[in-house]
Amino acid sequence: MQISDIIEKLHRERTATPDEIYYLLQHCDETHLAFINEKAREVARIHFGNKIYIRGLIEVGNCCRNDCYYCGIRKSNRHIERYRLDKETILACCEEGYRLGFRTFVLQGGEEGSRSDNFIIDTVSSIRKAFPEVAITLSLGEKPTSTYEAFFQAGANRYLLRHETHNEAHYRRLHPQEMSLANRLRCLNDLKRIGFQTGTGIMVGSPGQTLDNLLEDILFIQELQPEMIGIGPYLPHHDTPFAQMPPGNMEQTLLLLSIFRLMHPQALIPSTTALATLAENGRERGILAGANVVMPNLSPVFQRSKYTLYDNKASMGAEAAEGLLLLEQKLKKIGYTIDMGRGDHPTKIK
């Protein structure tokens, strides 16, 4: 079995057998990584040109009812200052983002209950009324079906919900007993059925993750066919049970990113803040491996340090909305330009 043949097959047929994918995960070296990155880059160029879509990220709050073992805003962490942005502040962030040229806003936050859901419904309605043509993305965790339907009716277009792992034993390693993989998968199926452009994904190198787990994730995403795929390295946070675990590997993350680009040519795949945190040129390396989305931070500057899913999060400079010129310069150096439009999934342009 030749690795280059597997990569060529992925490029040509957009699929491979489980054994072939596993072999690629197991044996990909530096030379083959460069080759698959090149093929993925080529596919992204065919579908998106040299455009990188930007999304304005607004971290609406760091309060969370969950206790995921890897996350810095888990409810058991008593050492962070909790906050919630009010509607006026969120709208002000959108107004500033719109002025800068953003046409997609991403509202991300910890998972809360029904009171927060009503607040989000009202806020999304207000954003939709103020900015009728923008895309509104939510990333707020697991919700009842009726809540997702209400979010959609209020005007949200997209929803990001990483499944994190499709393996039950690995899921149990990462989450407390009261959470369930079955419910996470129910949420993703609901989102697709309701009509959201749906995103899922994984942390690469999360504690206990094996190549078998990664293969299972690849096959699950192939079946789900999400419009968005979020792939980033696992990064530890000092106030979690996994504080001493090593971070995910850059090369393995880039390999997964390219595999997903070859298997899902039209997907919206971000080069994540976690990549930019792992290495100074991580964002650029992600784009050169097939990513086509970047999410600069529109959140109030004084709140950004409180939204710490992991340690040392990059949130200033080219990661920040006010650093658009710097981001533009960095992208230009690798042959790409910013696209300020909505950047819909090609098969679901509205």
Side-chain angles (χ1 to χ4, degrees):
M1 192 179 297
Q2 297 293 321
I3 293 181
S4 56
D5 292 339
I6 298 170
I7 294 170
E8 291 283 9
K9 182 178 179 180
L10 283 170
H11 182 236
R12 183 177 63 253
E13 301 179 18
R14 297 192 296 183
T15 190
T17 68
D19 284 347
E20 288 169 335
I21 296 171
Y22 189 90
Y23 191 85
L24 174 59
L25 292 172
Q26 191 173 35
H27 296 289
C28 187
D29 58 19
E30 185 178 342
T31 300
H32 289 111
L33 179 62
F35 181 54
I36 194 172
N37 289 167
E38 179 186 350
K39 289 294 185 182
R41 192 160 62 244
E42 178 184 314
V43 168
R45 287 265 187 164
I46 289 170
H47 291 276
F48 302 98
N50 69 336
K51 307 293 187 183
I52 300 299
Y53 300 123
I54 60 169
R55 314 324 197 177
L57 177 64
I58 304 170
E59 294 160 339
V60 298
N62 66 353
C63 302
C64 192
R65 64 185 176 188
N66 291 335
D67 216 15
C68 305
Y69 303 143
Y70 51 81
C71 183
I73 65 170
R74 62 196 302 261
K75 70 177 182 182
S76 291
N77 186 359
R78 306 287 186 240
H79 300 120
I80 62 170
E81 183 182 348
R82 303 286 178 175
Y83 77 93
R84 295 183 182 93
L85 300 185
D86 58 31
K87 185 171 80 168
E88 291 69 30
T89 302
I90 294 171
L91 286 170
C93 292
C94 292
E95 187 173 331
E96 173 63 10
Y98 195 88
R99 184 189 67 78
L100 289 169
F102 288 85
R103 294 300 179 266
T104 297
F105 302 124
V106 180
L107 275 55
Q108 182 180 59
E111 186 175 313
E112 296 195 77
S114 58
R115 181 185 299 181
S116 171
D117 295 342
N118 292 330
F119 168 78
I120 292 297
I121 292 165
D122 180 48
T123 300
V124 168
S125 298
S126 296
I127 295 171
R128 176 58 64 218
K129 183 177 179 181
F131 310 101
E133 76 276 28
V134 304
I136 302 172
T137 302
L138 302 179
S139 182
L140 302 166
E142 299 176 3
K143 302 290 182 183
T145 304
S146 59
T147 300
Y148 286 144
E149 290 171 340
F151 287 165
F152 191 74
Q153 292 300 318
N157 311 94
R158 304 167 177 156
Y159 204 100
L160 305 174
L161 182 66
R162 288 186 179 183
H163 68 283
E164 302 298 6
T165 178
H166 192 260
N167 180 270
E168 179 66 37
H170 188 218
Y171 184 91
R172 291 268 62 88
R173 174 83 188 271
L174 300 176
H175 301 92
Q177 196 61 41
E178 60 268 21
M179 297 180 69
S180 80
L181 176 59
N183 191 55
R184 180 64 58 100
L185 300 181
R186 185 273 305 168
C187 291
L188 286 168
N189 288 325
D190 278 353
L191 292 165
K192 291 278 286 186
R193 179 185 52 78
I194 290 166
F196 281 99
Q197 292 186 38
T198 303
T200 194
I202 60 172
M203 297 178 296
V204 180
S206 59
Q209 187 181 71
T210 65
L211 294 184
D212 285 314
N213 298 154
L214 289 175
L215 175 61
E216 195 171 339
D217 292 323
I218 291 168
L219 297 178
F220 166 68
I221 290 175
Q222 184 179 33
E223 179 185 355
L224 183 68
Q225 289 293 307
E227 287 78 24
M228 301 171 285
I229 304 173
I231 303 296
Y234 163 74
L235 296 174
H237 187 283
H238 63 278
D239 279 322
T240 69
F242 294 146
Q244 302 305 314
M245 298 297 290
N249 178 275
M250 171 67 76
E251 286 68 30
Q252 190 177 45
T253 304
L254 297 176
L255 172 59
L256 267 293
L257 203 157
S258 290
I259 289 172
F260 284 119
R261 172 55 70 205
L262 294 180
M263 296 180 75
H264 305 268
Q266 295 184 324
L268 300 165
I269 302 178
S271 187
T272 61
T273 300
L275 270 175
T277 302
L278 187 60
E280 186 177 350
N281 65 344
R283 183 200 313 98
E284 292 87 338
R285 292 187 70 181
I287 290 167
L288 292 172
N292 66 327
V293 174
V294 174
M295 295 197 285
N297 201 321
L298 274 175
S299 307
V301 173
F302 67 93
Q303 299 286 24
R304 291 180 196 171
S305 64
K306 301 174 189 174
Y307 197 82
T308 52
L309 306 183
Y310 46 81
D311 287 340
N312 306 312
K313 186 184 77 168
S315 61
M316 303 302 289
E319 286 299 310
E322 58 272 16
L324 277 180
L325 181 59
L326 178 59
L327 175 60
E328 190 173 25
Q329 291 169 346
K330 286 177 174 288
L331 292 178
K332 186 177 180 181
K333 284 183 179 179
I334 59 172
Y336 290 83
T337 62
I338 286 175
D339 188 317
M340 302 294 284
R342 283 171 51 126
D344 287 270
H345 185 274
T347 60
K348 297 196 82 172
I349 294 176
K350 297 180 181 179

